Amino acid sequence: MGLEEEIEDIREEISNTPYNKSTEAHIGRLKAKLAELKEKLENQSSAGGGQGYAVEKTGDATVALVGFPSVGKSTLINALTNADSETGEYEFTTLNVNPGMLKYKGANIQILDVPGLIEGAAGGRGGGKEVLSVVRTADLVVFMLSVFEIERYERLQRELYNNKIRLDTSPPNLSINKKGKGGINVTKSDSVDLEEETIKGILREHGFVNAEVTLRGETTIDELVDGIMKNRVYLPSIVAVNKADLIDKDYLPTVEENLREVGLDPDEVTFISAEAEKGLDALKEEIWDALGLIRIYMDKPGRGVDYDEPLVLREGDTIDDAIHELGAKLDERFRFARVSGPSAKHDDQQVGRDHVLADEDVLRIIAQR
């Protein structure tokens, strides 16, 4: 039996097995085995190589525009950035990954217009694997849908999921430490609903014989398998609905219902017209918020505060992160810092490396000469 047939047999058995506590361990082992077989098949199919898309990441963050062909991605990236991506009212206009740079709030945000996906992309159709490999390197996925084809959102999600991209979630709180003997010992928090034998069975399918395992938080079988595989990418996503200027107001309730049917809140998507350049300011703000970027204005000795070119960091970053971005030499000479703004208790508060910065803080680094 070939790998494809074995994979299909396991999928069918999973589909035909009702899920309950008595079958949980069996389904867990099947899903773990399925993940390993899919990985093996993928490695075999990619052994011959092939042309990929090599895109150098530049700027403060990278965004991947994801959508099926001719949804308007090229038009949007041309409107948002300095890119020059060919546009046309037919499929597969974009044959290469076209990067452009969106300058917003002092940040340089790289936006990648990747070739339009087709169904089966994760399996290699239409060069889909190469396209999806680029998406995996991004910091944010922007799904672009036509207002007339909202149902395609689920297909796009499925293609990314099949390429090991997990959206709007976090990896399981899982720790695995191999040991020389003693079998598999599992420690789990009260919120973990999976049975201990299910967890052990999944681990054995992945080749673990002796290990100390700790699992915390609500975790499904699929999430546990993802955590063990360690080649999943976890990314945030937002949705832009294009061609919104082409619908009548009477059709809007239908669009909103279509969004709800695929699990999207109409109030949380951004309606745009790339062609008419409408709704783009709202989309830029959504991108900024989803990336979690913050601006730090540097107070430079003898030159004052630079409000034009801020240091761009991420929410939760500290003085230590700022020093790292500013260069190794400063790291060696750092004494302390002074901060004014949202994160400070008062102006010119003296702080150390572990101080957490906030958007639009003013920062002055005091260093040894």
Side-chain angles (χ1 to χ4, degrees):
M1 182 185 294
L3 282 175
E4 289 96 338
E5 291 84 0
E6 195 171 354
I7 287 171
E8 193 54 42
D9 284 351
I10 292 175
R11 280 176 170 158
E12 186 174 348
E13 185 173 356
I14 292 172
S15 176
N16 292 334
T17 304
Y19 184 89
N20 53 54
K21 280 297 176 185
S22 63
T23 63
E24 179 188 89
H26 177 60
I27 291 174
R29 289 191 296 272
L30 288 174
K31 288 191 172 184
K33 188 173 182 180
L34 178 63
E36 290 287 348
L37 289 173
K38 287 167 67 177
E39 194 82 4
K40 188 175 180 181
L41 179 62
E42 182 178 315
N43 290 337
Q44 283 185 5
S45 63
S46 62
Q51 183 177 1
Y53 297 97
V55 180
E56 181 183 359
K57 290 186 70 172
T58 61
D60 299 302
T62 299
V63 174
L65 279 181
V66 174
F68 282 110
S70 297
V71 75
K73 298 190 311 298
S74 297
T75 303
L76 177 61
I77 198 173
N78 289 341
L80 289 176
T81 76
N82 56 1
D84 184 15
S85 190
E86 185 181 351
T87 61
E89 290 300 317
Y90 49 91
E91 294 192 348
F92 300 109
T93 311
T94 305
L95 300 177
N96 295 300
V97 176
N98 293 304
M101 194 65 73
L102 166 64
K103 296 183 181 295
Y104 188 65
K105 293 187 176 181
N108 293 312
I109 301 172
Q110 184 183 43
I111 300 187
L112 303 179
D113 170 18
V114 298
L117 291 178
I118 62 173
E119 276 198 270
R125 290 192 63 208
K129 283 187 177 179
E130 290 84 357
V131 173
L132 290 166
S133 69
V134 173
V135 177
R136 286 171 63 90
T137 68
D139 301 300
L140 170 69
V141 173
V142 176
F143 286 108
M144 194 167 179
L145 308 174
S146 165
V147 73
F148 303 109
E149 297 175 321
I150 300 298
E151 74 282 354
R152 288 192 155 195
Y153 174 68
E154 290 179 312
R155 302 183 213 172
L156 290 170
Q157 276 195 315
R158 185 163 59 247
E159 293 300 337
L160 267 61
Y161 187 90
N162 289 341
N163 199 57
K164 311 179 189 71
I165 297 171
R166 303 295 180 256
L167 298 170
D168 306 313
T169 188
S170 301
N173 191 341
L174 173 68
S175 171
I176 304 175
N177 294 308
K178 290 184 178 181
K179 59 183 183 179
K181 57 182 180 179
I184 298 174
N185 295 321
V186 176
T187 302
K188 60 175 187 167
S189 65
D190 293 340
S191 56
V192 176
D193 195 43
L194 294 177
E195 296 291 336
E196 186 173 319
E197 284 307 310
T198 300
I199 298 169
K200 288 182 177 180
I202 291 171
L203 286 160
R204 290 190 187 105
E205 284 292 339
H206 286 288
F208 290 94
V209 179
N210 302 296
E212 291 290 340
V213 180
T214 303
L215 181 64
R216 296 184 177 89
E218 295 182 11
T219 308
T220 65
I221 289 174
D222 291 324
E223 289 167 343
L224 177 57
V225 171
D226 283 343
I228 295 170
M229 295 298 287
K230 291 186 177 179
N231 59 357
R232 279 38 173 170
V233 175
Y234 296 82
L235 298 174
S237 72
I238 61 173
V239 175
V241 178
N242 193 29
K243 305 179 183 179
D245 58 323
L246 301 182
I247 63 169
D248 296 327
K249 287 185 178 180
D250 294 342
Y251 187 66
L252 184 57
T254 301
V255 174
E256 292 177 342
E257 182 58 32
N258 290 341
L259 287 167
R260 294 187 188 97
E261 286 179 0
V262 296
L264 293 170
D265 185 338
D267 293 330
E268 293 182 1
V269 306
T270 305
F271 289 92
I272 66 167
S273 169
E275 186 71 37
E277 299 192 4
K278 294 181 178 178
L280 301 192
D281 287 342
L283 179 59
K284 292 175 186 177
E285 189 64 23
E286 282 293 317
I287 290 172
W288 174 269
D289 289 341
L291 286 170
L293 299 177
I294 61 173
R295 297 155 290 179
I296 305 300
Y297 302 121
M298 298 304 301
D299 187 350
K300 301 178 179 179
R303 288 176 287 174
V305 181
D306 183 356
Y307 291 102
D308 296 325
E309 295 185 10
L311 176 66
V312 178
L313 300 174
R314 301 295 176 104
E315 290 176 356
D317 278 355
T318 63
I319 296 292
D320 202 46
D321 295 307
I323 294 168
H324 177 75
E325 289 294 320
L326 292 168
K329 289 184 178 180
L330 187 59
D331 186 35
E332 297 168 0
R333 297 167 45 226
F334 176 80
R335 291 174 56 205
F336 60 89
R338 292 196 180 277
V339 177
S340 300
S343 77
K345 296 179 180 178
H346 53 79
D347 286 349
D348 286 332
Q349 180 186 353
Q350 181 173 322
V351 297
R353 289 175 178 266
D354 59 351
H355 177 83
V356 178
L357 294 161
D359 189 33
E360 296 198 276
D361 273 346
V362 174
L363 171 63
R364 184 164 79 252
I365 301 291
I366 311 300
Q368 297 172 350
R369 292 183 178 276

